[in-house]
Amino acid sequence: MLRALQMSADEGKARWAAALRRAHQHAVRAMARYSSMVLVEGWLEYQGQLEEWCRAFFVLTIGGGLQCFAREPDDVTEAEAIETIALEAIVRATRSKGMDFYDWCFDVETAGREYIRVRPGSELELQRWLSTINVYAAAARSFPATPVTPNAGPSGRHQWNEHAEPSVWCDSRNGSFGVGT
């Protein structure tokens, strides 16, 4: 009788572990989609170091922040950005003053008091970029992260450990996520 109860308990644990594993895998896939979700993207001009205007493809994602690419990437998560500003590092985006006000320019200010001046092609695009950057940057700064080092194996991928208590974390400031034990 005791052996039958133990078998039943072991089977229950195995089923519970399998269900937990499936739920965990689903949550990791969902967080990956959320983290790489494109909030706004498009061709913009930015002011270079010598005050010249250069054209580049900009993408704002939760996990990648504001990224600048030489050409439009097929997959933002795989492409190498020329420049990246983490979402939580952005203090604000404001419409430029002076003559640049009339060219629909805006400035992105970082926590380090650095600026990048960008120019979209229309006032509608200006409003879209300004509102999206400000809403998501404020949200990213509002929620503190609770980072946990992921349990990664030699391949860099998460290795499932049935005997450990799993935990999934998400850094709401920049959308990064991971799995730890």
Side-chain angles (χ1 to χ4, degrees):
M1 173 84 171
L2 181 60
R3 183 154 170 79
L5 285 176
Q6 187 176 12
M7 289 288 282
S8 174
D10 288 344
E11 288 172 3
K13 285 181 186 178
R15 277 184 283 182
W16 175 81
L20 184 59
R21 186 177 303 116
R22 285 190 303 275
H24 164 75
Q25 290 167 345
H26 176 73
V28 168
R29 282 192 300 273
M31 283 189 288
R33 285 191 301 271
Y34 171 76
S35 177
S36 61
M37 180 175 63
V38 173
L39 303 169
V40 64
E41 66 182 352
W43 288 97
L44 302 173
E45 292 180 328
Y46 67 96
Q47 203 164 26
Q49 291 181 354
L50 301 175
E51 303 285 322
E52 81 284 6
W53 288 97
C54 306
R55 188 168 159 82
F57 192 81
F58 283 79
V59 177
L60 181 68
T61 63
I62 292 172
L66 183 62
Q67 297 175 298
C68 174
F69 298 94
R71 58 184 171 79
E72 186 174 352
D74 294 327
D75 182 0
V76 175
T77 60
E78 300 289 325
E80 191 164 331
I82 297 170
E83 188 71 40
T84 299
I85 302 173
L87 200 53
E88 72 272 10
I90 297 173
V91 174
R92 73 183 61 83
T94 55
R95 185 136 184 204
S96 301
K97 307 285 188 258
M99 291 303 292
D100 287 335
F101 177 87
Y102 299 103
D103 287 334
W104 305 307
C105 294
F106 66 93
D107 298 316
V108 178
E109 179 186 350
T110 68
R113 307 283 300 161
E114 295 176 359
Y115 294 85
I116 179 173
R117 180 159 287 174
V118 207
R119 181 169 58 192
S122 69
E123 188 170 7
L124 180 64
E125 285 294 298
L126 165 75
Q127 294 305 322
R128 189 169 72 116
W129 278 94
L130 281 176
S131 60
T132 306
I133 290 171
N134 285 321
V135 165
Y136 284 95
R141 290 187 316 274
S142 296
F143 300 103
T146 311
V148 176
T149 306
N151 178 18
S155 66
R157 299 174 121 173
H158 174 71
Q159 302 297 308
W160 180 263
N161 180 349
E162 315 182 0
H163 305 293
E165 186 85 23
S167 66
V168 177
W169 57 271
C170 181
D171 183 337
S172 57
R173 292 181 301 171
N174 65 11
S176 62
F177 67 93
V179 180
T181 55

